[in-house]
Amino acid sequence: MAAAEAVRAAGAVRAAGVVAPGGVVGVRSGGVGGRGFAVVAEVDATIGQDMRYATARNFTGAVVDGYEEPVCLLARPAAEALRRAQREVLRRGYSLLVYDCYRPQRAVDRFVRWAGDVADQRTKAEFYPEVAKDRLIPEGYIAEKSGHSRGSTVDVTLTRLGRGPLDMGTPFDFFDPLAHTDSPRVTGPARENRDLLRRVLGRQGFVNLPQEWWHFTYRPEAFPDAYFDFPVSVASVHR
């Protein structure tokens, strides 16, 4: 999507939002619809969704603050780019599957509180078996601000049509150097699958975060300086 459209989208959401200290944007009752944010299922219903933070199946072990519904919301230019990527992978016999999209600041704050509670080790074996919990923030696995809160970042994998997700070498949200996109320890089909995902999304303007094979940001971002805090729900876009 052209930079001009990203600028128009930014204007639409900023008209509905209130910039608070620290760059966090609240949302007035007018919502963030129109040219701002989109419900991805309404842009392309074929994109799979497994919205982990709207369930207890995530590293916190509980539904995360701000996830009122298990829906993927993105800034409209990013949603349209994801649709283009989906068209390509469908022709190859695959589908995109998203784990997280827009993430409100209150959810990011919840992650930080969770990381600071070193007594809670319930999910260690699944999500961070080799990293001490008190190292998750210093080593960059958990941050006080997330690009997801700007609306152009998506956590995504590939599935084969009619089957489950492809082997990517680690699960989603695995806090370990093994999850680095170019980890030399990941070889064979998992390496090929990571490379395929990165190539397909890269052709549509998504840039991978090297520390997480699943993390991609569409550029230019519609809202590069904002961190939104409206809840994850269809109503947030449509009202």
Side-chain angles (χ1 to χ4, degrees):
M1 195 67 63
E5 179 155 350
V7 171
R8 290 195 296 271
V13 172
R14 290 185 185 282
V18 181
V19 180
V24 176
V25 178
V27 178
R28 297 192 181 104
S29 59
V32 293
R35 301 288 287 183
F37 273 66
V39 179
V40 167
E42 296 173 358
V43 174
D44 190 328
T46 70
I47 296 173
Q49 297 189 32
D50 181 7
M51 305 301 293
R52 294 293 180 84
Y53 304 136
T55 75
R57 190 185 174 194
N58 64 74
F59 60 84
T60 73
V63 175
V64 177
D65 301 8
Y67 285 82
E68 296 182 355
E69 296 175 2
V71 294
C72 173
L73 310 179
L74 285 174
R76 186 165 292 277
E80 296 288 351
L82 200 66
R83 176 174 63 179
R84 295 193 298 273
Q86 174 71 345
R87 289 173 177 170
E88 177 176 346
V89 299
L90 286 174
R91 291 194 295 269
R92 295 170 174 260
Y94 301 107
S95 176
L96 297 175
L97 173 68
V98 296
Y99 293 120
D100 193 38
C101 302
Y102 159 73
R103 180 186 306 165
Q105 181 61 42
R106 71 193 75 176
V108 178
D109 296 341
R110 172 68 183 109
F111 292 169
V112 172
R113 293 195 303 274
W114 170 84
D117 183 5
V118 295
D120 180 0
Q121 299 283 334
R122 291 173 298 159
T123 64
K124 179 175 177 61
E126 181 176 0
F127 292 99
Y128 55 106
E130 302 299 327
V131 179
K133 192 175 185 182
D134 63 4
R135 298 301 304 165
L136 293 178
I137 290 178
E139 295 185 17
Y141 294 106
I142 302 291
E144 295 182 352
K145 289 287 190 294
S146 170
H148 282 275
S149 301
R150 300 195 294 266
S152 293
T153 296
V154 60
D155 292 335
V156 58
T157 191
L158 286 168
T159 67
R160 191 174 295 277
L161 291 176
R163 305 180 188 177
L166 299 185
D167 177 14
M168 292 291 182
T170 77
F172 164 62
D173 262 357
F174 191 69
F175 301 149
D176 190 276
L178 191 63
H180 293 184
T181 308
D182 289 323
S183 170
R185 297 160 56 198
V186 176
T187 60
R191 163 59 52 205
E192 295 172 4
N193 294 336
R194 288 188 184 189
D195 290 344
L196 173 60
L197 180 66
R198 182 165 50 180
R199 285 197 307 272
V200 169
L201 290 174
R203 281 194 281 270
Q204 302 305 329
F206 286 95
V207 178
N208 175 246
L209 178 69
Q211 290 78 18
E212 298 176 348
W213 62 257
W214 56 81
H215 180 119
F216 291 84
T217 298
Y218 176 74
R219 294 180 181 165
E221 293 187 61
F223 317 111
D225 301 317
Y227 294 89
F228 295 100
D229 194 37
F230 58 87
V232 177
S233 68
V234 172
S236 291
V237 172
H238 287 311
R239 66 186 176 200

